[in-house]
Amino acid sequence: MANQMINRMKIFRDAFRFLNALWSRRGLIAELARREITTQHRGTYLGVLWVYIHPLSYVIIIYLVFTLGLRSNPGGEVPFVVFLTSGMVAWQFYSQTLTSLTNVIRSHSFLIKRGDLSLPMLHVARLAAGALPQLAL
């Protein structure tokens, strides 16, 4: 019983230290997320605006296909746009961040070699960069 209590206290202490480290480096995380978004869309015609235009245009096209083209309402009593957007936000966030998180070490190896940055900071920055376009929806 006492060992379980000590283990739980260690978990809370470690979680608090991790969150404290994230909070103390929030500026660095925000800068890494900003750079991730700008470098990802640097060569496109609309640049960073494409981060917001792409998901919105995808939702509009799917909405038009299902409501006007097929004349159906798969959402039931819930308006189809709400039904579609809630699923699209979750799926887009999951698919984009999962694929980008697998390459985070390779793409930022120069920062890891310096030793100034811990791996969780890179992962949180990638998550923030992936969440920003989804918040627009």
Side-chain angles (χ1 to χ4, degrees):
M1 182 72 171
N3 287 337
Q4 289 179 346
M5 189 65 137
I6 291 171
N7 287 337
R8 288 182 186 165
M9 290 175 54
K10 286 180 183 179
I11 290 172
F12 286 123
R13 185 184 66 220
D14 292 341
F16 180 73
R17 285 182 185 166
F18 176 70
L19 292 174
N20 192 18
L22 288 180
W23 182 256
S24 66
R25 296 208 174 196
R26 66 187 179 274
L28 175 65
I29 292 170
E31 181 65 25
L32 285 171
R34 185 187 66 79
R35 286 186 183 186
E36 179 67 31
I37 291 173
T38 55
T39 57
Q40 184 179 14
H41 298 285
R42 182 172 285 155
T44 60
Y45 182 68
L46 295 173
V48 178
L49 286 177
W50 190 248
V51 171
Y52 301 106
I53 294 172
H54 181 259
L56 287 174
S57 64
Y58 192 69
V59 167
I60 290 170
I61 290 170
I62 297 294
Y63 172 74
L64 291 175
V65 166
F66 276 102
T67 56
L68 299 178
L70 298 177
R71 300 188 194 280
S72 66
N73 186 11
E77 292 185 19
V78 177
F80 181 64
V81 174
V82 175
F83 179 75
L84 175 69
T85 305
S86 64
M88 290 295 300
V89 165
W91 174 250
Q92 290 291 330
F93 177 72
Y94 176 74
S95 66
Q96 288 175 359
T97 55
L98 184 66
T99 56
S100 67
L101 283 175
T102 56
N103 295 323
V104 73
I105 297 173
R106 185 180 307 138
S107 64
H108 289 88
S109 62
F110 62 96
L111 290 174
I112 297 168
K113 287 178 185 175
R114 286 181 51 195
D116 295 341
L117 193 64
S118 64
L119 286 176
M121 300 292 174
L122 292 174
H123 288 89
V124 171
R126 259 316 149 100
L127 286 172
L132 187 63
Q134 305 311 320
L135 291 176
L137 292 176

